[in-house]
Amino acid sequence: MNLNFNYPIMIFRKDFDNGTVYRMGISKKKQDGSYENGYINCQFKRDVELDNKTKILPSDAWLTFYKTKDGQTVPYVFINQFELVEEEMFELDIDEVLSSEEDEQIDIDDNFLDD
């Protein structure tokens, strides 16, 4: 499923002993006017390295998935081409994004890690 991006997205990076994991930040406006933040796993070509909190505008991306060892489907966005966008400081931190108990229990498939 191809994806079109009209606005830049924030990419969060987390390094592990066996590779790097990227997540893209998303948000939605709630009925009370405040915003709720969320995150979607994403992956790039093997030669791509981005710093934490990099803003990009994807021009070629699609929704795909991998299967865990126990057969669970894990969706993520593969970003094939993008442009860098001028950096800005944001309040969100990658440790907040990737430090929940749920994340600690995720078995990251080797296909998803960037060496």
Side-chain angles (χ1 to χ4, degrees):
M1 175 186 306
N2 290 329
L3 301 174
N4 294 317
F5 292 84
N6 297 322
Y7 301 99
I9 57 173
M10 175 71 66
I11 300 296
F12 296 93
R13 173 187 174 135
K14 180 74 171 188
D15 294 313
F16 294 93
D17 291 339
N18 58 344
T20 301
V21 174
Y22 293 101
R23 285 194 176 174
M24 52 188 269
I26 59 173
S27 65
K28 67 177 182 177
K29 192 170 186 176
K30 298 183 344 184
Q31 288 184 352
D32 67 4
S34 65
Y35 284 88
E36 183 174 22
N37 295 319
Y39 308 92
I40 298 176
N41 291 331
C42 61
Q43 188 176 17
F44 299 89
K45 294 178 186 178
R46 289 214 178 265
D47 61 339
V48 172
E49 283 192 35
L50 296 175
D51 292 331
N52 186 34
K53 298 183 182 178
T54 299
K55 282 183 83 174
I56 65 169
L57 182 59
S59 57
D60 184 26
W62 55 87
L63 183 63
T64 188
F65 66 93
Y66 69 89
K67 294 271 190 168
T68 62
K69 293 174 186 172
D70 64 352
Q72 182 182 11
T73 300
V74 179
Y76 67 94
V77 174
F78 188 87
I79 301 172
N80 191 46
Q81 294 180 355
F82 62 91
E83 292 181 34
L84 291 174
V85 176
E86 184 178 320
E87 291 186 31
E88 296 178 21
M89 294 304 292
F90 287 83
E91 295 178 16
L92 298 173
D93 186 81
I94 189 62
D95 291 326
E96 294 174 17
V97 175
L98 296 172
S99 66
S100 72
E101 284 184 30
E102 178 181 301
D103 290 329
E104 297 298 325
Q105 297 173 2
I106 292 176
D107 181 27
I108 300 172
D109 188 273
D110 290 339
N111 292 326
F112 192 70
L113 291 170
D114 184 22
D115 298 319

